[in-house]
Amino acid sequence: FSIAIDFNLESAGVYTALGRAEHEAKTNHDAKSVGIIADAVTHTVGLLKPYSAATLLCAVPPCPSKSWDLPSAVIAQVAAQTGKPAVNDLAFANKKQSVKSLSVADKWDALEAAGLTAGPSVIGKRVILFDDKYQSGMTLQFVASKLLEAGATDVYGLCAVKTWRDTDNT
């Protein structure tokens, strides 16, 4: 299963506190905002039993060309706060194209083309899979399926915010 901690917006154009932190962290690489998100994730991990019982943390991996990635920055802090190790052998081999405008059928194919590989660190582990924003959930579901194929026993999705936009689920 997967959950989002909050919505990104309270109403059109008005951010929630966590939505503002996600926006500032992603847009400006703001360290304080990354910390706010990491604290919220750590709190959620401690609060909900499936997450607290997880043995490994994982960020949805970035495209190979990205020099900075919000999910990875958050998971590094959550690992330090919880003592749970983070996966370091999960990566896309190729550029991952945006799937927002694609049909559901085409999203999976586009993600497959990016060549995600998972190493042995996930074998036998209960994994928390983190992404900063939940839109359609397709990327989270795709990465979770690859973690399970690689030997993870369970994958629990956790996102900072859910967007209001659901039009990309068709």
Side-chain angles (χ1 to χ4, degrees), residues 2-3 5 10 20 25 32-33 45 53 65 67 77 102-103 107 119 128 136 140 148-149 169:
S2 299
I3 65 167
I5 298 169
E10 291 178 17
R20 169 62 61 195
K32 181 178 177 185
S33 296
V45 167
S65 61
S67 61
Q77 288 191 25
L102 299 177
S103 70
K107 287 179 186 190
I128 296 170
S136 70
L140 204 66
L148 290 168
E149 285 176 12
N169 290 325

Side-chain angles (χ1 to χ4, degrees), residues 8 31-32 35 57 62 81 98 106 122 130 132 134 138 141 144 161:
N8 64 333
K32 181 178 177 185
L57 301 170
Q81 292 172 356
S98 174
D106 291 338
V122 302
F130 176 76
D132 60 307
Y134 183 103
M138 185 65 74
Q141 181 62 35
V161 295

Side-chain angles (χ1 to χ4, degrees), residues 39-52:
D39 289 347
V41 170
T42 298
H43 175 75
T44 302
V45 167
L47 188 65
L48 300 174
K49 187 167 176 104
Y51 295 97
S52 64

